[in-house]
Amino acid sequence: QVQLVESGGGVVQAGGSLRLSCAASGRTFSNYAMGWFRQAPGKEREFVAAITWIGGRADYADSMKGRFTISRDNGKNTLYLQMNSLKPEDTAVYYCAASVGRGKVVLITIGDYDYWGQGTQVTVSS
């Protein structure tokens, strides 16, 4: 079993920045693909960014490219999402997710992930 706990959400003005963290525990965290997703009120959960656990390759949704950066600290079993130039449309609950045994692959589909955190709210005011 894997536990994922997000933190770092909050309220920020448009143009501001936030850094989300996702702490993983429960198993040897050495071969996990990781990702961030978000869900705004009344909308479906959508892909934000993903990263391999080996090699650090990453991918982003088009609307996040150039503004968001996903990274990880293997020694701390922690995933990060640096969000800059935030817009009101970035307001959502942000979730981290893990996929077991697929650490070399960038996964962008919800169904690819085995474990999810509880989410952290990000609110961007105009």
Side-chain angles (χ1 to χ4, degrees):
Q1 191 72 13
V2 173
Q3 292 80 43
L4 303 174
V5 179
E6 302 97 334
S7 61
V11 179
V12 63
Q13 289 188 335
S17 299
L18 283 174
R19 188 176 83 152
L20 306 183
S21 299
C22 173
S25 62
R27 290 184 59 170
T28 301
F29 212 66
S30 61
N31 191 23
Y32 286 70
M34 300 289 293
W36 287 99
F37 292 76
R38 70 185 186 184
Q39 188 166 17
K43 295 187 177 180
E44 295 185 350
R45 192 169 298 189
E46 64 175 351
F47 169 72
V48 173
I51 190 168
T52 58
W53 208 253
I54 301 171
R57 289 185 296 112
D59 196 9
Y60 300 86
D62 287 343
S63 62
M64 288 74 167
K65 289 180 180 178
R67 300 190 301 125
F68 291 8
T69 302
I70 188 172
S71 62
R72 81 276 189 264
D73 184 331
N74 291 357
K76 295 182 179 180
N77 289 346
T78 302
L79 178 73
Y80 302 100
L81 184 68
Q82 178 67 43
M83 305 186 294
N84 299 327
S85 302
L86 284 163
K87 305 174 182 179
E89 51 263 43
D90 293 318
T91 295
V93 178
Y94 284 70
Y95 300 89
C96 72
S99 180
V100 178
R102 304 178 70 179
K104 297 181 180 180
V105 182
V106 176
L107 300 173
I108 65 171
T109 303
I110 291 172
D112 287 326
Y113 287 90
D114 306 300
Y115 298 98
W116 293 83
Q118 82 290 347
T120 186
Q121 176 71 46
V122 172
T123 302
V124 184
S125 61
S126 57

